[in-house]
């Protein structure tokens, strides 16, 4: 730890001696270190990407071809999904609780070029932010450039309304 600190000090002093600005120095630090202090919120790990025990209220497989997971809707990570007009991504799957109080689950991977799609409350549909393809809640293409529907998954809500199961 001390060595890392000492290394940073030496590097900072060296870079400053070159007359570089503070922002340029930060860029060097981000490139040369572990980047933990420089990452954005987009770098947060996906909840439970591979299966196994419960992580952030999610249990099961959220990626690949064998989608099968449950979401604890009382967990702080997922409780927003009890409010109509919300969407959240779990691994490869976008889950939305629509304005019609229905849970839907679709592949989050746009069939055009693979960007992550999102749920739009106002239109109650799915849209890709990259080239603005739009999809219905069943995954059907409503507007291109995408031409292939999003894969839809089955959803099932427990009788107490607290556990959502998503399966292929
Ligand atoms: S990647 Fe989604 S519309 Fe192009």
């Amino acid at each position: 730890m001390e060595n890392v600190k000492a290394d940073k000090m030496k590097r900072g002093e060296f870079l400053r001696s070159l007359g570089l600005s503070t922002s340029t120095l930060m860029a060097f630090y981000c490139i040369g270190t572990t980047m933990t202090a420089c990452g954005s919120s987009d770098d947060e790990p996906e909840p439970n990407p591979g299966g196994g025990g419960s992580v952030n209220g999610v249990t099961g497989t959220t990626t690949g071809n064998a989608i099968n997971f449950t979401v604890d809707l009382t967990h702080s990570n997922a409780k927003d999904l009890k409010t109509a007009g919300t969407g959240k991504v779990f691994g490869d799957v976008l889950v939305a609780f629509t304005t019609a109080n229905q849970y839907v689950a679709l592949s989050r991977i746009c069939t055009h070029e693979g960007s992550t799609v999102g749920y739009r409350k106002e239109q109650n549909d799915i849209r890709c932010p990259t080239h603005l393809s739009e999809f219905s809640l069943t995954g059907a293409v409503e507007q291109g450039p995408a031409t292939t529907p999003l894969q839809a998954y089955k959803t099932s809500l427990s009788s107490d309304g607290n556990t959502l199961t998503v399966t292929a």
Side-chain angles (χ1 to χ4, degrees):
M1 199 64 179
E2 280 302 310
N3 286 343
V4 172
K5 206 172 180 182
D7 179 52
K8 283 182 183 176
M9 290 292 287
K10 286 179 197 163
R11 192 183 334 193
E13 287 164 14
F14 170 72
L15 293 172
R16 263 184 233 104
S17 73
L18 298 177
L20 298 174
S21 69
T22 304
S23 60
T24 306
L25 287 172
M26 281 306 294
F28 272 99
Y29 276 123
C30 289
I31 291 167
T33 62
T34 60
M35 298 187 70
T36 52
C38 302
S40 70
S41 60
D42 292 341
D43 296 332
E44 288 178 18
E46 294 290 347
N48 208 23
S54 175
V55 177
N56 289 331
V58 179
T59 303
T61 302
T62 60
T63 60
N65 295 322
I67 297 296
N68 187 340
F69 62 93
T70 60
V71 180
D72 177 358
L73 298 173
T74 66
H75 192 282
S76 59
N77 181 54
K79 66 180 170 52
D80 289 352
L81 279 174
K82 281 197 163 197
T83 303
T86 59
K88 187 167 182 60
V89 170
F90 301 96
D92 289 344
V93 180
L94 168 67
V95 174
F97 188 38
T98 71
T99 53
N101 295 318
Q102 288 181 311
Y103 283 99
V104 297
L106 301 156
S107 170
R108 67 154 181 88
I109 302 167
C110 181
T111 55
H112 179 228
E113 291 183 358
S115 294
T116 295
V117 299
Y119 172 73
R120 289 194 302 182
K121 178 181 179 180
E122 295 72 22
Q123 289 78 13
N124 198 35
D125 70 358
I126 310 297
R127 186 177 78 148
C128 177
T130 304
H131 307 110
L132 309 183
S133 287
E134 295 175 6
F135 304 87
S136 74
L137 296 176
T138 62
V141 176
E142 291 185 331
Q143 177 177 300
T147 57
T148 304
L150 294 173
Q151 181 171 357
Y153 300 104
K154 296 178 197 130
T155 59
S156 169
L157 189 63
S158 63
S159 56
D160 63 6
N162 289 332
T163 304
L164 181 70
T165 300
V166 178
T167 53

